[in-house]
Amino acid sequence: MAKRGVKVEIKELESAVEEVVGRMGVIERFGKAADHIEGLAEIDTDRFGIAVVTDGGATVTGGEADEPFAIQSISKVFGLTLALQAFGDEVWKRVGREPSGDPFNSIVDLERQKGIPRNPFINPGAIVVSDMLLDISAKSDTNKTVREFLADQIGEDVGIDRKVFDKESSSGFNNRAMANLCKSFGNLNHEVEAVMKPYVSQCAIALSARQLALAGRYLMDGGDKPTDQQRLLARRVNSLMLTCGQYDGSGEFAFRVGLPAKSGVGGGILAIAPGVASIGVWSPGLDDNGNSLLGTLALEQLAERMGWSVFG
């Protein structure tokens, strides 16, 4: 494993990224684009982009690294970050920290757990976190929305995929059912529709692989000149990304790649080599668990080539 504070050799990284892009270009199995969200199903599944931002501030890109895509569930990482910054350990009274063992949009386990989602990276967990974020409005010293947080982290304007937003705003019946079930157990403070709007909005945020890698820099080691509290927050979020970040494929991803990561059905994956690099990949073809097929392969090969697995 690359150690914290060890300088990444940029020429080696550039060579590794170039090699990964070349390998992705000859793979014939791309997976299937998400077909349940308008705006995602028609995207060519053989497209691929990757960006790596090192702890030293260098950026290395390959493929379609500047092509924007809806980040979908990757937004849950940033929502959780805002909630932890604002409320600390109070977050864990309303959402758990365990892998679900069920699909990300399953309602079954939520009933068994009496409205307490198993973790913040499945849909009901992110909905409860969105409910918490509505209570940040009285705090003037922090970002209030995921979009504001991302714009601040990246240093660029952050857009919305309007087609994805409109489709999910007018449908999303399963998500509303989970929100109502949470509310029936007293785990939603605001009205369901008031919670669903920011939740859908954050999922429709459009970033490129390069912007995604920039957004994840604070998870490398807590940010620029981090405090102990910022380092702890990064460690907490990374631990959940490692155990819960890839839907029902989290164990397989940890086995193959060995990096904390969060995927989205838009085809993106944010991966973190702690203390070393933040990585954004995008390819819209998904595997059976809803994770980017080429993105996972690329991260597996990059982590092996650079020695970045957290397991050594």
Side-chain angles (χ1 to χ4, degrees):
M1 180 181 68
K3 296 180 180 179
R4 292 176 183 271
V6 174
K7 183 178 180 180
V8 175
E9 293 294 335
I10 302 304
K11 288 190 179 297
E12 181 186 3
L13 178 58
E14 289 174 340
S15 175
V17 169
E18 183 179 3
E19 181 179 335
V20 166
V21 173
R23 288 181 177 180
M24 296 305 103
V26 298
I27 293 175
E28 296 181 357
R29 180 169 167 259
F30 308 122
K32 181 182 178 182
D35 56 8
H36 63 291
I37 300 174
E38 185 177 350
L40 300 183
E42 62 268 24
I43 301 175
D44 293 336
T45 56
D46 60 347
R47 302 178 70 180
F48 175 79
I50 183 170
V52 183
V53 177
T54 71
D55 188 46
T59 301
V60 177
T61 63
E64 298 182 73
D66 283 307
E67 179 67 25
F69 58 89
I71 63 172
Q72 292 289 326
S73 286
I74 303 173
S75 67
K76 297 170 183 175
V77 170
F78 309 115
L80 174 63
T81 297
L82 284 175
L84 288 172
Q85 287 176 337
F87 305 112
D89 286 343
E90 291 295 310
V91 170
W92 309 122
K93 294 180 180 180
R94 298 181 57 189
V95 63
R97 300 192 295 266
E98 297 293 337
S100 68
D102 291 304
F104 63 92
N105 57 354
S106 172
I107 199 169
V108 176
D109 196 54
L110 187 61
E111 183 177 13
R112 287 197 297 260
Q113 299 298 322
K114 302 186 184 304
I116 305 294
R118 294 278 286 181
N119 68 71
F121 294 157
I122 53 175
N123 287 14
I127 288 169
V128 170
V129 169
S130 292
D131 182 66
M132 297 180 201
L133 297 187
L134 291 176
D135 290 324
I136 297 180
S137 58
K139 299 176 178 288
S140 59
D141 58 346
T142 185
N143 298 120
K144 298 176 179 62
T145 68
V146 170
R147 190 175 180 184
E148 290 175 351
F149 176 80
L150 287 171
D152 188 51
Q153 292 295 315
I154 299 168
E156 301 174 14
D157 290 337
V158 172
I160 295 286
D161 187 319
R162 183 55 58 178
K163 184 179 290 187
V164 170
F165 176 78
D166 290 343
K167 175 62 176 178
E168 293 196 291
S169 294
S170 61
S171 56
F173 302 114
N174 191 65
N175 285 334
R176 285 176 169 80
M178 289 186 284
N180 275 289
L181 190 56
C182 287
K183 191 164 183 66
S184 74
F185 282 106
N187 198 21
L188 215 66
N189 296 332
H190 301 86
E191 294 303 316
V192 167
E193 286 307 312
V195 176
M196 291 306 301
K197 183 175 181 179
Y199 172 73
V200 170
S201 179
Q202 73 177 43
C203 289
I205 289 172
L207 298 180
S208 66
R210 179 186 61 81
Q211 290 174 315
L212 185 59
L214 288 170
R217 287 177 295 180
Y218 74 100
L219 292 171
M220 281 191 273
D221 54 17
D224 185 37
K225 298 180 180 179
T227 64
D228 288 344
Q229 185 177 11
Q230 289 169 325
R231 287 194 182 96
L232 178 62
L233 183 144
R235 191 175 78 192
R236 297 301 194 212
V237 175
N238 279 327
S239 68
L240 283 166
M241 290 170 69
L242 184 67
T243 56
C244 308
Q246 306 294 305
Y247 307 127
D248 282 351
S250 297
E252 178 71 11
F253 189 93
F255 182 86
R256 289 172 52 191
V257 181
L259 294 176
K262 183 70 194 84
S263 65
V265 294
I269 303 177
L270 170 66
I272 304 297
V276 181
S278 174
I279 311 154
V281 294
W282 170 70
S283 186
L286 309 179
D287 62 20
D288 292 340
N289 290 313
N291 302 313
S292 173
L293 193 151
L294 291 188
T296 300
L297 287 173
L299 288 167
E300 180 180 14
Q301 293 175 13
L302 182 66
E304 182 177 357
R305 168 74 183 271
M306 297 301 295
W308 283 352
S309 170
V310 299
F311 302 112

